[in-house]
Amino acid sequence: MHRDIQTDNWIAVCNLDDIVPNTGVCALLNKQQVAVFHVDDGSARVFAIDNYDPNSEASVLSRGLVGNLGERIVVASPIYKQHFDLQTGECLEAPEHSVATYPARIDGGKVWVGL
């Protein structure tokens, strides 16, 4: 459920070093909770998805465990352990509960998320 919009509005979330590699943080951007993940599998990358887990109806995805299922980089929800693809937002066990993704990038040592 990638938001297919032109991203002219980039918001600096934090320094890349503020996020421990292979974990996430929650950022409040325009009154919406966004889970931002720093994935380091040889090169640092960042991903942003909704923080709200529709399976448990709780805002917890930023606290999930980051890993791989095959070629997919995922976060496992800390409550019911469903896996969300960090690139697409797809919930692998229940695709009808997929979440939105946001463009994210690293620039000048900072993490930026596009809204």
Side-chain angles (χ1 to χ4, degrees):
M1 183 186 340
H2 181 74
R3 294 183 191 223
D4 198 16
I5 58 173
Q6 290 289 1
T7 304
D8 295 326
N9 189 17
W10 289 92
I11 298 172
V13 174
C14 62
N15 291 320
L16 180 63
D17 294 342
D18 292 337
I19 309 174
V20 175
N22 301 314
T23 67
V25 297
C26 181
L28 187 61
L29 305 175
N30 292 344
K31 299 182 182 180
Q32 181 164 343
Q33 290 187 28
V34 176
V36 181
F37 297 92
H38 171 188
V39 174
D40 193 343
D41 52 3
S43 64
R45 295 184 286 164
V46 290
F47 299 92
I49 64 173
D50 281 339
N51 192 44
Y52 182 76
D53 175 3
N55 298 289
S56 64
E57 298 183 352
S59 296
V60 295
L61 291 181
S62 64
R63 293 188 264 155
L65 296 175
V66 175
N68 294 62
L69 285 178
E71 296 294 315
R72 296 177 116 171
I73 301 169
V74 298
V75 62
S77 174
I79 297 184
Y80 295 128
K81 311 302 185 234
Q82 282 92 354
H83 297 91
F84 293 85
D85 186 309
L86 292 181
Q87 293 181 311
T88 66
E90 180 184 4
C91 178
L92 303 185
E93 292 80 9
E96 68 276 10
H97 288 162
S98 297
V99 298
T101 61
Y102 303 88
R105 63 185 169 103
I106 303 166
D107 188 20
K110 292 189 179 294
V111 175
W112 297 80
V113 174
L115 295 178

